[in-house]
Amino acid sequence: AGVDGKPKTSGVKTFLRNMADFFRGFGLVLKSKPFLLLCVATFLVFNGFMLIASFQFYVIIYYVFAGDQAVGAEYAGYAGTVQGIATFAVVVLVTWLGTKMGKRRAFFLATGVSMVGYALKWVCYNPDIPLLVILPAPLMAFGLGGLFTLMPSMVADVVDLDELHTHERREGMFGAIFWWVVKLGMAAALAGGGYLLNATGFDVALGGGQSENTIFLLRLFDASVPAIASAVAIWAVFRFPITEARAHEIRQELERRRGTADEETLQQLESEPHESPLLSTILSERNIPEKVEELIGRMTLDQKIGQMMQAERRYVTPEEVKKYHLGSVLSGGGSVPGQNTPEEWIAMNDAYWAASMEEDEHHLAIPILYGVDAVHGHSNVKGAVIFPHNIGLGAANDPDLIL
């Protein structure tokens, strides 16, 4: 039986109930047409790029430089570096554009610019002027840079709309499915890219002697596939129904709904005492507030600063705890004393505590706080009981299991 005397729910029943709740939420998310449009757009832009990501190198090496892998790889590196640097600037620019013209229009602009970059490959990947391979790079950066800057915010708008209708906040489910689509796209692109490469007739053994048809198909796929996929993605986002005005209305309604609840909660907190009787007794009988005020009044600036510091145990001694008036010491991940026995943990903590309590004219006796990563229990200690993450415990939806 559970702690309240009721029959304890079996682990199997809890698991089945949670799985049913999961698939119910999964189904509701997939019924959201605005969310599906965003998934389609993401799949297309990301896949369109990833599907032919390797083709750029093949075109540069085997078309622009006639099979010279050393020089071709060098210029491909130049183009990749420029594109990578440009992406940082794109993130800043697209973020600004999203606030000025709205996320949908910013997506149209960013994706459109990337399409120009993809198309320019046909012209700029030129054996006569090899340095032109760099020109399309900053324009192509608008594709993925704009996509992953704007899409999370647009998904948040969908989550708001879903909450408005269902009174449930499912951003975790929406986020999980969105990034699953990204991973699915990556896997599909890696597989599809191999088939496309085979379709061109490319033969690595031929080196720079690839046929004209192979070179033509490599160039065609390299320039057209991401451009076409991006165009379809723009169509999907064009059909996305949540405009900036609508998103603002939804947020206002949610804030009004939450604000009313917050006001009621505040009124309840103001009218009802919530302080623990035991805490009240300790604070009053031991004159804690007065002692705290008196102690703070005696502290120097260095002592106040030290009390706000937390040092990792590997880099601080008990003597330094006293010298610098440290308020806390921490065991980071894997940071343990000696052979990691309970006795050594006790001895280490006693040494830090004793040093913190040695009062003299330069140091006040304030007991140190020792910090550990206890999300899974005191997991640094050898032999300790390890618990699931607190989010996992909560997701189990089984109070008896937690208690």
Side-chain angles (χ1 to χ4, degrees), residues 228-252:
I228 294 171
S230 296
V232 180
I234 288 177
W235 169 82
V237 174
F238 179 78
R239 298 192 60 190
F240 182 67
I242 306 177
T243 62
E244 291 301 305
R246 177 58 179 150
H248 182 66
E249 291 173 1
I250 293 169
R251 281 194 294 271
Q252 281 188 321

Side-chain angles (χ1 to χ4, degrees), residues 208 304 341:
K304 291 177 181 178
T341 64

